[in-house]
Amino acid sequence: MNFKNPDISVLNNKKLYIFDMDGTIYLGNQVFPYAIRFIKNLRKSGRRVLFFTNNASHSPSFYLEKLTRLGFEPTAEEIMTSGDVTAEFLLRHRAGQSVYLVGTDDLVNNFRERGINLLTGKEERADIVITSFDTTLTYEKLDNACRLIRGGSEYLSTHPDFNCPTETGFIPDSGAIAAFVTASTGKVPTYFGKPYRETVEMICEATGCTKDEMCIFGDRLYTDIAIGKRHGVTAVLVLSGETQPADVEAAAEADKPDFIFDSLDNVDLAMFS
């Protein structure tokens, strides 16, 4: 692959280091030990860390427990999901509207705890339908979502990822579920999470950092890298997850990452050796 990284000082001068989770710092329950080392080195040097995942099938408290168990020593303030961004949008811009949510119990409970007006799906109409990465998906949920959207509901989705990486390969993610609904209804959802502007705005607001003070590490061109390239955040691709070198070569110049490393191990060595 014909790609040359800029000077490492670009990364050294950042204040906030944002990490995708699946495929970047771990794969399923298989932790990348070098990711723990790199993040510990960042903290020791006075830099800040944020874990952001598009995977909204679990709550922030689930990720707090998982990251703690895997050895990353996170705080609750260091964790954010696409579900959080979507819920915040509803509270700010769709307050009080009725929502039919296709998601896991974790996501449903997360929305309910925030006071969002959730429906059962049996109703004749809903103001909004939201689909997400739902490992408890049923045909009934899909049918309810499509019927309500045909009836005039606004259609949103927590994130656009087509596949979720696991230790045994990829499984269908939120974007694949949305593609089913779009094929049936003709409606394309408004997406949240990476690579969308609302996510960058929420990170800026939550951390007090500006976009040029941040960098993001991830394994996907169309989410992790795209959010950086579209919104002025330095984007670092690691080849430990979904993206392969051939994918980078096939990408348009404007969509290519600012840095490419085989893994966070190489970033750690470049910054701290």
Side-chain angles (χ1 to χ4, degrees):
M1 180 171 53
N2 186 23
F3 185 94
K4 183 173 174 58
N5 282 331
D7 192 280
I8 199 68
S9 62
V10 175
L11 293 181
N12 277 322
N13 292 330
K14 300 298 180 182
K15 293 183 178 178
L16 179 68
Y17 295 74
I18 305 164
F19 292 90
D20 172 56
M21 297 192 210
D22 266 322
T24 301
I25 63 171
Y26 58 69
L27 201 57
N29 284 304
Q30 176 190 334
V31 65
F32 299 149
Y34 50 73
I36 295 176
R37 185 183 71 234
F38 178 44
I39 288 168
K40 283 184 176 177
N41 283 335
L42 288 172
R43 289 196 176 111
K44 281 180 194 172
S45 65
R47 296 169 171 100
R48 296 171 65 187
V49 168
L50 178 71
F51 301 96
F52 188 101
T53 180
N54 265 4
N55 187 343
S57 67
H58 296 296
S59 64
S61 60
F62 169 91
Y63 288 111
L64 179 64
E65 186 279 327
K66 178 172 183 174
L67 290 170
T68 301
R69 174 167 42 85
L70 294 179
F72 288 98
E73 301 178 359
T75 64
E77 293 73 29
E78 290 177 333
I79 298 169
M80 196 180 293
T81 77
S82 67
D84 297 326
V85 178
T86 308
E88 194 64 25
F89 172 84
L90 294 175
L91 293 171
R92 293 184 184 188
H93 302 288
R94 301 290 188 272
Q97 293 195 14
S98 60
V99 176
Y100 178 59
L101 174 61
V102 177
T104 58
D105 288 346
D106 255 8
L107 186 61
V108 168
N109 291 335
N110 189 14
F111 274 44
R112 194 166 275 140
E113 286 168 4
R114 294 170 183 260
I116 293 168
N117 178 20
L118 294 184
L119 303 177
T120 66
K122 305 294 185 187
E123 297 81 2
E124 289 188 9
R125 64 175 306 278
D127 294 317
I128 300 166
V129 168
I130 300 174
T131 60
S132 185
F133 176 31
D134 187 2
T135 52
T136 60
L137 186 67
T138 63
Y139 190 85
E140 182 181 14
K141 288 183 180 182
L142 289 169
D143 182 37
N144 288 339
C146 292
R147 174 178 52 80
L148 291 167
I149 290 168
R150 289 191 204 99
S153 299
E154 181 180 12
Y155 182 26
L156 310 178
S157 173
T158 56
H159 60 291
D161 304 45
F162 287 111
N163 292 300
C164 178
T166 72
E167 301 99 318
T168 56
F170 295 115
I171 59 175
D173 204 325
S174 174
I177 293 169
F180 179 107
V181 175
T182 296
S184 178
T185 64
K187 274 201 171 183
V188 176
T190 298
Y191 287 103
F192 293 88
K194 297 172 289 188
Y196 299 100
R197 173 180 48 82
E198 289 83 1
T199 293
V200 174
E201 290 175 348
M202 186 169 174
I203 290 172
C204 289
E205 186 174 316
T207 64
C209 290
T210 60
K211 291 185 287 186
D212 62 350
E213 293 174 325
M214 307 173 182
C215 57
I216 183 165
F217 297 84
D219 69 307
R220 287 178 175 161
L221 289 175
Y222 64 95
T223 56
D224 306 317
I225 302 310
I227 195 171
K229 300 300 287 184
R230 293 180 190 180
H231 307 293
V233 176
T234 298
V236 185
L237 176 70
V238 291
L239 300 174
S240 52
E242 181 174 316
T243 301
Q244 300 302 309
D247 300 321
V248 179
E249 291 178 2
E253 202 59 38
D255 297 330
K256 291 183 178 178
D258 298 303
F259 289 83
I260 301 176
F261 294 94
D262 286 339
S263 71
L264 292 179
D265 187 28
N266 304 97
V267 191
D268 186 47
L269 291 171
M271 288 182 63
F272 294 106
S273 62

